[in-house]
Amino acid sequence: MTDPTPAAAPAVPPGEITDLVRRTPLSFVGTVTRTGGTPLSTVEADEHTAVVRVDHVLHAPDAFRRLAGSRVTVQLKADAPRLEVGDSAAFFTEGLHYGADLAVTEVGRLPAHAVRPHIALAATSADELPFSAVLREIHRQDLAVHAREADAVLLGTVTGLERLDGAGPRSEHDPHWWRAGLDVEHVERGTVPDRTVRVLYPNSRDRHWNHVPKPAAGQSGLWLLHATEGDQRELAPYALRDADDYQPAHRLAALREGM
């Protein structure tokens, strides 16, 4: 198995792991068991095709958390260094074929030693994958950006909910607009002149809208609000639009660092 030791290999630039995790849904440390071919009839093999035994899953959707020990077909990047049978590396990938067997496309690659500290740390927790902390940091960074782009960020409690019949155009994916009243406790960002602010939100469970928070009576927390436009402006000054528009109140301290 070929894997340069940390002393013999160049250091990974800061942020490279975070960037690769951000760009891909699945990464793993694996050992090449075959090159130039695949057992999958649905994948056309060439000189950049390899079969890789998964040694450690680094980050993955729930359905692929337990890939360790299985073999995956990897379509390698054409401009990446060539791999031979027995070589080990950390592969950052996106899906190519799903079924009884998995095939993925390589987006990036790092030496296996570059991720060993993450693997060692994750070994102390049965539920953690090696890049779980990286994913949390990515979410923290993205949430800070989202908060900076919001028109108002405030702590508040839902005091009332109201269905708005006929608000906006009807469509196959009708959002079913409702309006929530928020009793404002603290304004962190933006201008909220009144103690109670009205907020639109799509109450539909359609796939286009299901990710948007659905306020509940008495619910308290941190709200990231977006200014309404056009006809919606007459219904409420703000709306919920994104999955991250509601956060537990304790997240405010962490968000302050990035806003």
Side-chain angles (χ1 to χ4, degrees):
M1 181 184 300
T2 302
D3 175 23
T5 64
V12 176
E16 185 169 356
I17 288 178
T18 299
D19 178 65
L20 286 168
V21 172
R22 182 186 292 276
R23 292 165 51 200
T24 57
L26 172 65
S27 64
F28 54 89
V29 172
T31 302
V32 177
T33 62
R34 178 180 175 183
T35 61
T38 173
L40 298 180
S41 60
T42 55
V43 176
E44 185 175 348
D46 58 27
E47 61 184 309
H48 303 296
T49 306
V51 177
V52 178
R53 183 189 69 237
V54 178
D55 301 319
H56 299 281
V57 177
L58 299 173
H59 86 289
D62 288 344
F64 299 108
R65 287 174 62 95
R66 306 198 181 280
L67 276 179
S70 62
R71 282 172 168 74
V72 174
T73 297
V74 182
Q75 194 63 31
L76 304 170
K77 291 181 66 178
D79 59 352
R82 185 179 179 86
L83 292 173
E84 304 293 343
V85 172
D87 285 349
S88 178
F91 298 90
F92 296 79
T93 69
E94 57 188 13
L96 177 61
H97 169 81
Y98 301 98
D101 295 294
L102 177 66
V104 295
T105 300
E106 182 184 42
V107 174
R109 185 191 311 166
L110 290 176
H113 74 78
V115 302
R116 282 181 187 148
H118 296 270
I119 295 173
L121 186 61
T124 63
S125 172
D127 296 327
E128 289 270 294
L129 289 179
F131 286 161
S132 292
V134 177
L135 288 168
R136 287 193 292 270
E137 175 59 19
I138 289 172
H139 183 256
R140 188 198 67 78
Q141 293 174 2
D142 290 348
L143 188 58
V145 171
H146 186 61
R148 289 198 299 269
E149 294 175 346
D151 295 293
V153 178
L154 57 86
L155 292 173
T157 301
V158 179
T159 57
L161 301 171
E162 179 185 5
R163 179 177 178 175
L164 300 177
D165 293 323
R170 306 289 293 184
S171 70
E172 177 186 358
H173 305 289
D174 196 316
H176 302 305
W177 291 109
W178 281 53
R179 182 167 56 200
L182 295 180
D183 183 30
V184 180
E185 302 162 23
H186 168 76
V187 178
E188 183 68 20
R189 180 183 179 86
T191 301
V192 181
D194 301 318
R195 181 174 174 79
T196 300
V197 62
R198 297 177 302 166
V199 179
L200 292 180
Y201 67 96
N203 202 43
S204 171
R205 294 295 178 179
D206 181 88
R207 61 186 177 86
H208 288 268
W209 306 104
N210 192 47
H211 64 287
V212 181
K214 318 297 183 194
Q219 183 180 15
S220 297
L222 180 65
W223 305 89
L224 284 62
L225 307 179
H226 309 276
T228 52
E229 299 177 350
D231 293 341
Q232 287 190 342
R233 187 73 179 169
E234 298 179 5
L235 301 172
Y238 296 108
L240 301 175
R241 298 176 182 167
D242 188 88
D244 287 331
D245 283 348
Y246 170 78
Q247 299 294 321
H250 67 79
R251 291 277 176 85
L252 178 58
L255 279 183
R256 280 176 175 157
E257 299 177 6
M259 285 195 295

